């Protein structure tokens, strides 16, 4: 069983502060990593899909980095806003010849106004 | 924009009933997936499908079956519902080659089995 682990489980951040959280995964057979944002009462929304070691992607105030050799990815949010409150899901695709994503348990982020 | 539509947001059924959860996508995606989400656990894959009439078991297929008679529609069936199947169910679809394509999710069905 391949474990994708996210930390912390939950996080409270003051509005305007920056924050980051982690996704860890086994580096052997790694193929791709996905980040999703899941707001309450909505569907999970894709943020990034990353495959290359050292890759860095950015979408507005949110960015992500990937280290495939040591098996981790960081998601950064700069200048947190109330609308950033959501659960952030990390998922990995491994090179086993199928399309199955393995999801972490998520980081629940709450922005305090 | 890709639209993945699940037939119900909330559903309440009784133990032993046969339950159908429907999912439709409008982007001609080959791959479709059914997950369940429970507190403290990540999304767990129940079944997935690469093509019409094709299905593969995910990590927790017991007590479920699926049907994919048309490319756009993927149905999840609870053969005889039990209380431990109370959960949030999410459907997703994606184009082939997930190494650079995200999954697109429906809004979810919160299913309660009484």
């Amino acid at each position: 069983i391949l474990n994708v682990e996210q930390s912390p489980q939950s996080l409270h951040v003051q509005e305007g502060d920056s924050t980051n959280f982690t996704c860890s995964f086994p580096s052997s057979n790694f193929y791709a990593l996905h980040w999703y944002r899941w707001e309450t009462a909505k569907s999970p929304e894709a943020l990034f899909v990353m495959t290359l070691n050292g890759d860095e992607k950015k979408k507005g105030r949110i960015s992500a980095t990937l280290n495939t050799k040591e098996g981790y990815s960081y998601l950064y949010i700069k200048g947190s806003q109330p609308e950033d409150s959501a659960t952030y899901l990390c998922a990995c695709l491994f090179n086993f010849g199928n399309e199955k994503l393995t999801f972490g348990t998520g980081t629940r982020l709450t922005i305090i106004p | 924009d890709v639209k993945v539509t699940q037939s119900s947001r909330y559903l309440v059924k009784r133990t032993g009933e046969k339950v159908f959860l429907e999912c439709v996508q409008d982007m001609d995606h080959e791959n479709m997936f059914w997950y369940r989400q429970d507190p403290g656990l990540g999304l767990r894959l129940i079944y997935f499908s690469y093509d019409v009439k094709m299905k593969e078991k995910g990590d927790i297929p017991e007590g479920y079956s699926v049907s994919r008679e048309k490319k756009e529609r993927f149905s999840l069936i609870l053969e005889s519902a039990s209380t431990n199947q109370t959960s949030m169910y999410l459907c997703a679809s994606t184009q082939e080659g997930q190494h650079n394509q995200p999954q697109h999710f429906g809004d979810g069905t919160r299913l309660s089995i009484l």
Side-chain angles (χ1 to χ4, degrees):
Chain A
I1 294 177
L2 295 163
N3 280 331
V4 175
E5 296 181 355
Q6 292 187 246
S7 62
Q9 203 169 39
S10 66
L11 194 54
H12 289 75
V13 174
Q14 203 69 40
E15 182 178 352
D17 286 353
S18 297
T19 188
N20 65 84
F21 29 92
T22 308
C23 175
S24 303
F25 54 88
S27 53
S28 59
N29 300 113
F30 171 84
Y31 201 29
L33 182 140
H34 296 213
W35 279 104
Y36 294 88
R37 174 170 58 203
W38 192 4
E39 294 178 66
T40 304
K42 294 186 178 180
S43 57
E45 170 201 1
L47 291 172
F48 306 112
V49 178
M50 308 172 80
T51 56
L52 300 175
N53 184 45
D55 204 4
E56 182 168 344
K57 296 210 171 181
K58 193 174 178 184
K59 188 176 183 177
R61 294 179 292 100
I62 303 177
S63 61
T65 60
L66 178 65
N67 184 322
T68 62
K69 295 191 186 307
E70 295 181 41
Y72 64 84
S73 173
Y74 293 136
L75 190 79
Y76 299 91
I77 301 177
K78 189 176 176 182
S80 303
Q81 299 297 310
E83 59 265 29
D84 296 329
S85 293
T87 296
Y88 290 82
L89 298 174
C90 168
C92 290
L93 186 66
F94 295 97
N95 193 9
F96 294 134
N98 61 47
E99 307 268 352
K100 288 171 56 175
L101 282 175
T102 301
F103 281 83
T105 54
T107 292
R108 184 168 182 83
L109 175 66
T110 304
I111 306 303
I112 304 163
Chain B
D1 271 357
V2 176
K3 184 74 175 169
V4 179
T5 303
Q6 294 183 229
S7 51
S8 306
R9 289 298 297 269
Y10 300 93
L11 206 53
V12 180
K13 295 290 182 181
R14 295 209 172 271
T15 303
E17 280 193 70
K18 191 168 185 176
V19 181
F20 293 85
L21 302 183
E22 306 287 347
C23 175
V24 177
Q25 50 92 5
D26 65 0
M27 283 300 291
D28 202 37
H29 283 170
E30 283 82 12
N31 303 323
M32 296 188 74
F33 306 81
W34 274 107
Y35 296 93
R36 61 179 283 177
Q37 165 77 55
D38 298 292
L41 299 174
L43 289 178
R44 292 183 293 164
L45 182 64
I46 305 171
Y47 266 97
F48 61 108
S49 169
Y50 289 143
D51 205 346
V52 175
K53 295 193 187 296
M54 180 275 169
K55 60 186 179 185
E56 282 203 32
K57 292 180 180 179
D59 299 319
I60 51 164
E62 296 79 19
Y64 303 94
S65 62
V66 289
S67 171
R68 191 150 181 217
E69 295 296 318
K70 293 185 178 181
K71 192 174 185 180
E72 67 270 19
R73 184 180 296 270
F74 192 35
S75 303
L76 180 70
I77 304 156
L78 285 65
E79 297 290 344
S80 177
S82 63
T83 53
N84 63 13
Q85 292 178 310
T86 291
S87 187
M88 166 70 89
Y89 290 87
L90 280 168
C91 174
S93 74
T94 189
Q95 195 59 274
E96 261 193 293
Q98 280 194 82
H99 56 284
N100 61 358
Q101 296 293 326
Q103 289 193 359
H104 299 269
F105 287 87
D107 288 338
T109 296
R110 190 165 289 283
L111 175 65
S112 296
I113 306 297
L114 304 179

